[in-house]
Amino acid sequence: MPDAVKRSVRSTWGVFGQATRTARALPTFLIVGAQRCGTTSLFKALVQHPQVAGPVLRKGVHYFDTAYGRGAGWYRGHFPTRAATRARGGRPRIEVGESSPYYLFHPLAAERIARDLPGVKVIVLLRDPVERAYSAHSHERARGFETAAFERALDLEEERLAGEEARLRADPGARSHAHQHHGYLARGRYALQLLRLEEHLGRDRMHVMESEDFFATPEPVFAEVERFLGIPHADGIRFDRHNARPRADMSEALRRRLTDYFARADEQLAAWWGRTPSWRA
């Protein structure tokens, strides 16, 4: 579909969705991140399930990170109606979800989610943080949000992100381009983000998985997600890889540098998770 047509459809739907927002459902689950860890691929697999529905026109609404000031009514307007998702005629309830990978990293998203969606379940995908950082840089370059080469961007990160989290906390309406798009190292320090999520939602409402496992053996990993969401197993789900970008190989010297950098963060992740992540096994 041409971009102009997509924009027209979204605009028309936006007006209709907002006009009918009081009749619409809120999510029962969220895929909250991490960025470049297969969140789109998991979401597109999930919405093939007959008991799962997502936002009408997009996978992620980004309400709890960058659009919170628009209000809960605006958020509700993106989803199917309650009538379409409630249990009826022997059909179980349809689980409603969205996927916004900045939710995991944004300092206020977890408490907003806990306050506005009591009982919601969250899914977190993790990936070797070295590969995640390199993939994120390629992604941000392709989108026009990054101009520096990868090693230069790593060197600039501390300066770019200095004070940004505190600013976001101090002004709930603030946005930070650097915090959202340039956290190549910071977003790979997973334990700190998981601890924040656990503090506000509780461990039992979190399902943490590795994207390496999902892409290598999608069927059993997806079955675990089904069990977490409380939905029956569905046959015939297609597991495609979405949003992959070709890029040059990373130099071995830089890979060693980053592997050493993330060693302590990976130890903290293993302690929290009770298992050694596959990239450290």
Side-chain angles (χ1 to χ4, degrees):
M1 184 183 297
D3 289 344
V5 176
K6 289 181 181 179
R7 288 193 295 270
S8 177
V9 170
R10 287 176 178 171
S11 177
T12 301
W13 163 254
V15 173
F16 178 71
Q18 292 307 306
T20 58
R21 62 191 185 186
T22 58
R24 298 190 173 276
L26 282 171
T28 57
F29 76 90
L30 300 171
I31 302 174
V32 300
Q35 181 203 37
R36 305 304 294 166
C37 291
T39 57
T40 299
S41 298
L42 176 60
F43 178 80
K44 288 187 177 293
L46 269 171
V47 294
Q48 296 173 51
H49 195 291
Q51 246 177 270
V52 174
V56 175
L57 287 180
R58 65 189 72 187
K59 80 177 182 78
V61 183
H62 285 282
Y63 173 60
F64 294 105
D65 46 35
T66 60
Y68 197 66
R70 296 192 177 201
W74 176 87
Y75 185 52
R76 190 186 288 271
H78 290 78
F79 297 99
T81 63
R82 291 192 299 276
T85 60
R86 68 169 59 106
R88 61 182 178 182
R91 186 198 71 183
R93 180 184 75 173
I94 302 297
E95 303 300 327
V96 178
E98 62 130 331
S99 174
S100 295
Y102 188 32
Y103 287 168
L104 182 64
F105 189 55
H106 192 283
L108 297 178
E111 61 189 89
R112 290 169 173 173
I113 291 168
R115 180 171 60 243
D116 293 358
L117 298 177
V120 75
K121 296 179 179 181
V122 297
I123 300 169
V124 181
L125 288 93
L126 305 179
R127 176 186 185 182
D128 179 347
V130 176
E131 291 296 330
R132 195 222 68 81
Y134 197 34
S135 176
H137 177 265
S138 175
H139 182 65
E140 301 297 356
R141 283 284 291 253
R143 298 170 72 199
F145 296 143
E146 176 62 270
T147 57
F150 183 48
E151 288 193 71
R152 177 58 177 160
L154 297 178
D155 293 339
L156 288 171
E157 181 171 333
E158 183 176 359
E159 177 184 349
R160 283 170 158 180
L161 268 61
E164 291 301 279
E165 180 170 324
R167 185 170 68 84
L168 290 170
R169 288 186 178 278
D171 179 4
R175 296 180 65 168
S176 170
H177 179 88
H179 191 271
Q180 184 173 0
H181 299 291
H182 298 154
Y184 308 113
L185 301 174
R187 285 201 185 204
R189 298 193 289 266
Y190 298 130
L192 300 175
Q193 300 165 70
L194 292 167
L195 283 166
R196 180 170 59 208
L197 203 60
E198 181 182 20
E199 176 187 356
H200 291 286
L201 278 80
R203 190 75 166 259
D204 61 331
R205 288 162 58 190
M206 301 167 58
H207 180 71
V208 182
M209 53 190 279
E210 289 188 26
S211 63
E212 288 88 348
D213 290 342
F214 178 55
F215 288 121
T217 56
E219 288 84 0
V221 175
F222 188 77
E224 293 178 1
V225 175
E226 291 174 318
R227 287 191 288 272
F228 174 68
L229 295 179
I231 55 179
H233 175 67
D235 293 319
I237 303 295
R238 298 185 315 278
F239 299 105
D240 300 318
R241 189 182 291 259
H242 294 270
N243 291 344
R245 294 186 184 277
R247 59 184 188 273
D249 291 337
M250 190 187 311
S251 73
E252 285 305 311
L254 180 54
R255 185 178 297 279
R256 285 194 299 271
R257 170 191 163 189
L258 291 176
T259 299
D260 291 344
Y261 173 86
F262 284 116
R264 177 58 180 155
D266 287 343
E267 290 175 3
Q268 293 171 332
L269 171 63
W272 180 88
W273 206 357
R275 55 171 281 191
T276 301
S278 64
W279 57 87
R280 290 287 179 178

